[in-house]
Amino acid sequence: MNMNLAPNTHSPAAIVAKQLVPVQSNNNIQSGLSLQTAKGEIICFMGIDRKVLDQYIRTLAGIHPIESGTLEIFQQPVEEIPAKAWSSIRTKLAYISRDAPLLSVLNGLNNVIFPALYHGTLERHAAIKKALAIFTELEYSGNNLDLPAFMEPIDKVQLAIARAIMLDPTVLLLDDPWYSLDPHDYSKLNDFFYQWVKNGTIIMTTSNISFVRKYATKIYFIGHQEIFEFSSWPTMCHSEVEEVRHYLRQYSESS
Amino acid sequence: MLQRILNAPGLIGRQTLRPPKYLFELLLFTLRALNPRQQGQIRLNQASYRTLLGQLIFSGVDALPVIFLLALASGLAITTQIILTIQLIGDRAEVIDILIRVVIFELSTLLTAILLIGRSGSAITVDIGNMKLNRELEGLEMLGINLNHFLITPRVLGTGLAQAVLAIFFAVVALASGIVVLAYTQNAGYLSYLPEVAFSLHPYDLLLFLVKNLLFGVIIGSTACFHALRVSQSRTELPQQTQQAIVNSLTIVFVLNALFIVFMQPSLL
């Protein structure tokens, strides 16, 4: 079953990459990443080398340096974005790393509301109200007054997502959000992402095949020498590329 | 062997340049922390004020009991000794002058700074250093949060204000406790020292006292933050940077205090 959303191609692309190669990525790569996002898309990056996937997602977030190719974020070449503009870009382009680090000195609720207080988008009362509404959407079941050290991995990931969502981003960049979770927690995030993407774009690295199969609108497989783009899970499954077939065989063996 | 000998001048040069380079970097870091228009926007808002308030409570309010005890002990040991000793060899005006010089301007400033360095400076380095190791700071930057606005500036301002307030509190308690004890144990006439000391304080010296303490507090806070952000990869760096922050803060505060006397208060020499 493919539950793909129809991407909205009318609004300008938030991220446009052409032949993009991050610094220190796989040196053997012959062609870089070419990508153009659209509203409603769930773009998944897959591959065997975690480090390389990590570099690509961080490059798209504007954190990792570029070896070659071009990258435009909100219609601006990334190298021309002035330092003071990044603060507002970050509110629209949310990147959540694999560890989803929350501030250890603040409890869950304060972790979620403080970015909104910092950016002055909401007053404290309104921020709390919005945070609680996001918790409901996320099906968050933890105690939001606990400190991060005492939280379950799913709670930390949900709070990191909630913290980013508080700023109303248009693009969510996620580095394997299921990384630290038990499989029975997967569905909580799957459903949320499917609902949220109606208003934005999600780009993620993942090895969660069940999510990719159901929701991905575009899949990039980053191989040792080449990057392969697939429009859906079935097209990836029918790929003749040996690397992709090897990856899929590994998946079918492990499941 | 020959290579080592040839490298020696370079090594000596690098080692000589290290302290001024460190001081220059620290100065730039402090000025950036105190610049209200960092990256073109004034961003000391709700979230930053909460950090500032937290720092003031931790460095200032929570330190009051221990400062009180320290000041009380100093008053009993030093204020009483100064009065009893100096009055044997000098007149009343000289006793008051020495009380102002030693207890108010030097003892209160330095003992408060030592306590603030040991208590708040080390805590700030460990706190922010741990945040950096856990990649919490990267998480903040990814939310468009300027680390200076949110973490550094409130802490630097907090320690500055805390040092100023605690030094005043220390001076009052140390002076009053010594004089009251002498009045109780020796002669009630000693109580007249209190208003006389107060009236003998020159406004310029008081202003200098306030500026000096604010500056020392700011240096303590910024040195702690500066070393915390130097932690990069390993947990073993954290204790190293903490001890460096403590030692360097103490050195800078003591040297600056001496320079203050030489250049700003020549009348006290």
Side-chain angles (χ1 to χ4, degrees), chain A residues 164-210:
Chain A
I165 301 294
M166 279 292 285
L167 300 173
D168 299 321
T170 54
V171 181
L172 261 186
L173 289 148
L174 302 148
D175 188 3
D176 202 349
W178 296 277
Y179 171 73
S180 58
L181 305 185
D182 287 331
H184 66 262
D185 286 328
Y186 283 14
S187 63
K188 285 185 181 176
L189 296 188
N190 295 0
D191 297 342
F192 176 78
F193 291 145
Y194 178 66
Q195 291 302 321
W196 186 86
V197 83
K198 289 170 184 166
N199 302 314
T201 308
I202 292 178
I203 305 174
M204 62 169 71
T205 64
T206 184
S207 52
N208 180 355
I209 302 283
S210 66

Side-chain angles (χ1 to χ4, degrees), chain A residues 58 63 83-84 87 90 95 99 101-105 114-115 117-119 122-124 163-164 167, chain B residues 39 41 43 45-48 50 127 131 134-136 138-146 149-150:
Chain A
R58 288 172 72 86
I63 313 164
K84 62 183 173 187
S87 178
R90 292 273 167 241
Y95 167 73
D99 311 313
L102 299 168
L103 262 188
S104 52
V105 291
F114 86 83
L117 300 182
Y118 173 84
H119 287 287
L122 294 169
E123 288 298 314
R124 189 173 172 80
R163 187 170 74 163
L167 300 173
Chain B
Q39 299 199 0
Q41 292 164 310
R43 274 278 170 76
N45 52 25
Q46 284 187 71
S48 306
R50 285 178 73 84
D127 185 23
M131 284 185 197
N134 296 335
R135 300 180 83 169
E136 293 169 33
E138 187 190 270
L140 290 182
E141 287 182 306
M142 290 306 105
L143 294 162
I145 291 171
N146 182 308
H149 296 152
F150 184 68

Side-chain angles (χ1 to χ4, degrees), chain B residues 94-133:
Chain B
E94 283 171 319
V95 175
I96 291 169
D97 187 39
I98 290 181
L99 279 178
I100 292 173
R101 284 181 188 215
V102 176
V103 179
I104 297 182
F105 289 132
E106 300 309 318
L107 201 65
S108 65
T109 301
L110 291 178
L111 282 183
T112 307
I114 291 169
L115 191 94
L116 202 68
I117 289 167
R119 201 176 166 275
S120 304
S122 56
I124 289 171
T125 310
V126 171
D127 185 23
I128 298 179
N130 263 323
M131 284 185 197
K132 189 162 182 209
L133 281 174

